[in-house]
């Protein structure tokens, strides 16, 4: 896992001292993503930068990596991620006459493009199983390709300029170049307030994101985007027992592939079905005893207060799983003061690069990863299992399912209305933005075929599953990538294996709920590995701190913001509405989001154009 960046300018020689300093500055912003090594490659209109976190082939695999023809570079690659089937691809390519000089997956990707991608890059990237984002420069064609994995596990941004573009794993790499302006317009603010992504756009004016499953081609003639993968209808014909067996086969194969690393590896264990099944399979197939880690809070289990999202504490279930499957387990216990530490909050904002927050979830995840990084360099995590197998409560709430919007949204414009000036609320029209994004997403949903297509509920659940995988999951994947890579920790997500996603997405909703519960297929496929208490446990969300000290500290900081007339956010605020937020109970999430937006505008010196 690494950080990549670059600069293409077809009307400029980027070998000048000034341009070299700019690409060095861009590369330096990726130091946390790649603490082990750095490199740049510059020739004429192209400058590529790379920071490396060494996972496979520690001594080899340095980047930028070139493929030589007639004594000079023909292809130049900067790559981040993991290609889990690189060993099979390497054998195939060697059989076709390719000679390898490293044992890294990076070289396999490079030679795959040389062999299969010279006519159409979609052919080469379709061979890859993994999580990745990379840039490939063709010196003869003077063409850049930006390529992102199917689910968008690894981020990749770009910023068009007059004669080319800037790109980077994170916005901060692009913003380190003097050609990029940190500005937010009305669309960026709508994106921030709604928490629903407009695929391809970002909160920064002029900055774009390579969409999952897409390739961006850059030539002197301009920038073009093409898709190489999308969710489709598979016409699923397997019965429930066959489907359960196939899910188990795919999980076993996926986790075995993702255990490959030349550095210490662990799992994130919450005591829920997803992480427990993943940990149990990892323990079964690992050659060494698996380490597992869980997050906890001071006094959490002893003073636990059950609620709709957290009916039971994680701790007892975590311990049961760790004992049954034999992991070397560690609990990371956090306090309210740690979560409110200004240095931690600044670090999470800098890691995210965006004014999007999940509040104490972000801070606790960052602290958990900081502790894990002292022991492991790679961690397996359970993201996408809920979106894929139907784990969230909204999947099973008919009122939410039937609403003509994203089913997880409670009130389309409540957040904007709760603290912004009425005139700005009207101008932004966040409900209109959300409806537009919803209609666009629905237009993408592949039509259901076969007998299930006659059932209106099956058709609607196909839509809900698609929305969850393409509009909800990306936020979680982005958070996990940013918090982990800020500390040089690679997090792998086995439930995002595209073969598993394709298969389960294609199954009828009746299969996914055959036992009238959430995640029926996953439960049936892994029940033999787990304690019965975990098999029967009701879905619980990622834990949040219940210590009232945290809320008190949060409200104190919010009150200070409202009294600061020079605050960057002050021109947008309605003090009357914002004080109502302060005085109300159970407003932690709203306060967190307002404070994060204020910190973002200040720390990134963002100019508002609304």
């Amino acid at each position: 896992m690494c950080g990549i960046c670059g600069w293409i300018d077809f009307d400029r020689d980027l070998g000048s001292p000034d341009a070299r300093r700019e690409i060095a500055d861009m590369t330096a912003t990726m130091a946390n993503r790649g603490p082990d090594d750095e490199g740049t490659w510059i020739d004429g209109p192209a400058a590529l930068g790379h920071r490396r976190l060494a996972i496979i082939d520690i001594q080899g695999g340095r980047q930028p990596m070139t493929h030589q023809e007639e004594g000079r570079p023909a292809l130049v690659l900067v790559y981040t991620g993991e290609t889990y089937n690189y060993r099979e691809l390497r054998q195939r390519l060697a059989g076709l006459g390719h000679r390898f000089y490293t044992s890294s997956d990076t070289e396999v990707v490079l030679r795959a493009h040389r062999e299969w991608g010279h006519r159409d890059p979609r052919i080469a990237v379709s061979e890859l199983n993994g999580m990745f984002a990379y840039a490939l420069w063709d010196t003869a064609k003077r063409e850049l390709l930006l390529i992102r994995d199917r689910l968008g596990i690894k981020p990749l941004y770009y910023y068009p300029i007059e004669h080319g573009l800037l790109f980077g794993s994170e916005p901060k790499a692009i913003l380190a170049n003097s050609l990029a302006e940190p500005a937010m317009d009305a669309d960026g603010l709508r994106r921030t307030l709604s928490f629903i992504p407009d695929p391809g756009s970002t909160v920064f004016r002029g900055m774009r994101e390579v969409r999952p499953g897409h390739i961006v081609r850059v030539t002197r003639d301009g920038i073009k985007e093409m898709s190489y993968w999308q969710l489709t209808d598979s016409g699923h014909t397997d019965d429930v027992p066959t489907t359960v067996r196939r899910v188990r086969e795919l999980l076993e194969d996926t986790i075995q592939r993702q255990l490959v690393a030349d550095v210490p590896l662990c799992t994130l264990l919450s005591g829920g079905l997803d992480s427990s099944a993943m940990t149990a399979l990892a323990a079964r197939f690992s050659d060494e005893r698996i380490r597992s880690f869980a997050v906890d809070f001071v006094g959490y289990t002893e003073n636990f207060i059950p609620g709709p999202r957290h009916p039971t504490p994680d701790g007892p279930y975590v311990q049961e799983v760790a004992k049954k499957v034999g992991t070397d387990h560690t609990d990371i216990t956090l306090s309210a003061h740690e979560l409110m530490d200004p240095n931690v909050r600044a670090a999470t904002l800098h890691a995210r690069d965006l004014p999007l927050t999940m509040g104490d979830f972000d801070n606790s995840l960052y602290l958990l990863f900081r502790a894990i990084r002292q022991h492991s360099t790679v961690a397996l995590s359970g993201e996408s299992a809920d979106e894929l197998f139907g784990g969230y409560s909204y999947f099973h709430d008919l009122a939410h399912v039937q609403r003509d919007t994203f089913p997880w949204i409670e009130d389309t414009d409540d957040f904007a209305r709760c603290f912004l000036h009425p005139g700005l609320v009207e101008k932004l029209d966040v409900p209109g933005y959300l409806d537009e994004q919803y209609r666009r997403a629905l237009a993408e949903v592949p039509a259901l075929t076969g007998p299930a297509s006659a059932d209106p509920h099956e058709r609607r659940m196909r839509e809900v599953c698609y929305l969850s995988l393409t509009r909800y999951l990306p936020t979680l994947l982005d958070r996990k990538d940013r918090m982990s890579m800020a500390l040089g920790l690679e997090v792998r997500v086995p439930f995002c294996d595209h073969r598993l996603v394709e298969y389960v997405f294609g199954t009828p909703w009746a299969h996914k709920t055959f036992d009238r519960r959430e995640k029926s297929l996953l439960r049936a496929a892994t029940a033999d590995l787990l304690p019965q208490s975990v098999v029967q446990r009701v879905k619980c969300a990622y834990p949040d701190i219940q210590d009232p000290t945290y809320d008190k500290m949060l409200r104190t900081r919010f009150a200070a913001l409202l009294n600061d007339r020079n605050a960057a956010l002050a021109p947008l605020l309605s003090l009357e509405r914002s004080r109502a937020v302060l005085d109300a109970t159970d407003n932690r999430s709203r306060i967190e989001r307002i404070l994060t937006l204020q910190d973002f505008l200040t720390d990134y010196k963002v100019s508002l154009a609304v």
Side-chain angles (χ1 to χ4, degrees), residues 222-385:
I223 300 172
K224 296 181 180 180
E225 186 178 51
M226 68 181 89
S227 169
Y228 71 86
W229 181 86
Q230 56 190 353
L231 288 166
T232 59
D233 181 75
S234 62
H236 192 87
T237 57
D238 293 345
D239 60 14
V240 169
T242 304
T243 302
V244 169
R245 286 195 299 272
R246 181 58 179 157
V247 167
R248 176 62 172 263
E249 291 169 359
L250 286 167
L251 282 173
E252 289 185 352
D253 182 72
T254 296
I255 288 175
Q256 286 182 79
R257 289 174 183 268
Q258 298 195 20
L259 287 174
V260 176
D262 296 333
V263 292
L265 179 146
C266 69
T267 68
L268 306 181
L269 177 60
S270 70
L273 179 62
D274 318 335
S275 68
S276 298
M278 177 190 71
T279 298
L281 286 169
R284 170 170 289 193
F285 294 115
S286 176
D287 294 332
E288 300 177 354
R289 188 183 182 193
I290 284 285
R291 295 203 67 157
S292 60
F293 292 87
V295 67
D296 199 358
F297 302 102
V298 174
Y300 186 82
T301 301
E302 298 84 348
N303 304 303
F304 180 76
I305 301 172
R309 298 178 69 249
H310 306 96
T312 54
D314 289 346
Y317 299 94
V318 167
Q319 297 304 322
E320 279 195 73
V321 174
K323 182 178 180 180
K324 180 174 179 62
V325 306
T327 68
D328 179 5
H329 183 74
T330 303
D331 287 323
I332 306 300
T333 305
L334 308 174
S335 69
H337 289 280
E338 288 178 288
L339 294 177
M340 283 299 294
D341 182 338
N343 293 325
V344 171
R345 297 180 73 83
T348 59
L349 177 65
H350 186 69
R352 273 228 155 173
D353 256 358
L354 300 168
L356 309 174
T357 183
M358 295 184 177
D360 65 293
F361 296 160
D362 286 358
N363 302 338
S364 64
L365 198 62
Y366 178 86
L367 291 168
L368 171 65
F369 289 158
R370 188 172 72 179
I372 290 174
R373 188 60 177 89
Q374 299 176 26
H375 308 280
S376 297
T377 310
V378 175
L380 302 188
S381 185
E383 269 73 16
S384 106

Side-chain angles (χ1 to χ4, degrees), residues 491-509:
V491 174
R492 300 175 178 179
V493 279
F495 290 107
C496 285
D497 182 284
H498 73 275
R499 300 166 304 159
L500 179 66
V501 171
E502 289 169 350
Y503 184 76
V504 178
F505 177 74
T507 61
W509 182 247

Side-chain angles (χ1 to χ4, degrees), residues 114-127:
R114 177 63 186 86
E115 178 64 34
W116 298 308
H118 61 281
R119 289 188 301 273
D120 187 338
R122 291 172 292 189
I123 298 173
V125 70
S126 296
E127 293 284 350

Side-chain angles (χ1 to χ4, degrees), residues 52-101:
R52 187 183 184 208
L53 174 64
I55 302 295
I56 294 173
D57 188 7
I58 306 300
Q59 300 305 317
R62 294 196 66 189
Q63 298 186 50
M65 185 176 287
T66 62
H67 168 72
Q68 302 279 331
E69 290 184 5
E70 298 181 358
R72 66 183 313 273
L75 298 176
V76 188
L77 175 68
V78 283
Y79 166 90
T80 176
E82 301 292 345
T83 298
Y84 301 121
N85 64 334
Y86 79 98
R87 290 173 172 170
E88 300 99 297
L89 293 177
R90 182 188 176 100
Q91 288 182 343
R92 287 173 57 193
L93 288 163
L96 293 169
H98 287 265
R99 184 178 178 184
F100 288 85
Y101 299 93

Side-chain angles (χ1 to χ4, degrees), residues 357-499:
T357 183
M358 295 184 177
D360 65 293
F361 296 160
D362 286 358
N363 302 338
S364 64
L365 198 62
Y366 178 86
L367 291 168
L368 171 65
F369 289 158
R370 188 172 72 179
I372 290 174
R373 188 60 177 89
Q374 299 176 26
H375 308 280
S376 297
T377 310
V378 175
L380 302 188
S381 185
E383 269 73 16
S384 106
D386 284 310
E387 292 79 7
L388 188 57
F389 291 100
Y392 295 122
S393 60
Y394 65 74
F395 280 102
H396 310 278
D397 184 328
L398 194 59
H400 279 259
V401 166
Q402 292 179 340
R403 293 175 65 216
D404 192 24
T405 188
F406 297 102
W408 56 87
I409 293 178
E410 296 291 343
D411 191 334
T412 57
D413 68 338
D414 183 59
F415 177 62
R417 195 174 295 279
C418 79
F419 75 98
L420 293 182
H421 279 301
L424 183 56
V425 170
E426 183 177 354
K427 177 182 178 180
L428 292 174
D429 186 20
V430 174
Y433 167 86
L434 279 171
D435 187 64
E436 179 184 2
Q437 297 306 315
Y438 177 66
R439 303 298 162 195
R440 286 183 184 178
L442 284 186
E444 300 170 4
V445 180
L448 190 64
T449 60
S453 63
D455 184 342
H457 186 62
E458 283 281 357
R459 293 198 300 271
R460 178 54 180 166
M461 293 313 299
R462 162 62 62 85
E463 294 176 342
V464 171
C465 292
Y466 184 89
L467 295 172
S468 299
L469 285 166
T470 64
R471 299 306 192 272
Y472 190 83
L473 176 62
T475 300
L476 303 184
L477 293 176
D478 186 73
R479 176 184 71 140
K480 187 61 63 76
D481 173 85
R482 301 306 183 80
M483 294 302 131
S484 60
M485 293 306 295
L487 296 154
L489 176 71
E490 175 177 294
V491 174
R492 300 175 178 179
V493 279
F495 290 107
C496 285
D497 182 284
H498 73 275
R499 300 166 304 159

Side-chain angles (χ1 to χ4, degrees), residues 477-591:
L477 293 176
D478 186 73
R479 176 184 71 140
K480 187 61 63 76
D481 173 85
R482 301 306 183 80
M483 294 302 131
S484 60
M485 293 306 295
L487 296 154
L489 176 71
E490 175 177 294
V491 174
R492 300 175 178 179
V493 279
F495 290 107
C496 285
D497 182 284
H498 73 275
R499 300 166 304 159
L500 179 66
V501 171
E502 289 169 350
Y503 184 76
V504 178
F505 177 74
T507 61
W509 182 247
H511 279 35
K512 295 176 184 176
T513 54
F514 74 85
D515 64 358
R516 299 186 179 183
R517 286 198 59 184
E518 78 283 358
K519 294 187 280 196
S520 304
L521 293 174
L522 180 59
R523 180 178 295 102
T526 59
D528 62 301
L529 303 168
L530 305 172
Q532 272 302 301
S533 61
V534 173
V535 173
Q536 300 303 324
R537 188 186 183 195
V538 175
K539 161 71 182 173
C540 287
Y542 182 86
D544 57 355
I545 189 167
Q546 296 186 345
D547 187 342
T549 304
Y550 180 81
D551 291 282
K552 183 178 179 180
M553 297 168 73
L554 200 64
R555 289 175 182 276
T556 298
R557 186 159 180 261
F558 186 47
L561 168 62
L562 299 184
N563 292 325
D564 183 0
R565 295 182 178 180
N566 296 318
L569 201 54
L572 309 184
L573 290 178
S574 163
L575 288 179
E576 179 182 357
R577 293 180 172 188
S578 298
R579 292 194 189 282
V581 172
L582 180 63
D583 294 338
T585 58
D586 197 28
N587 263 334
R588 178 193 289 182
S589 175
R590 292 174 181 169
I591 292 173

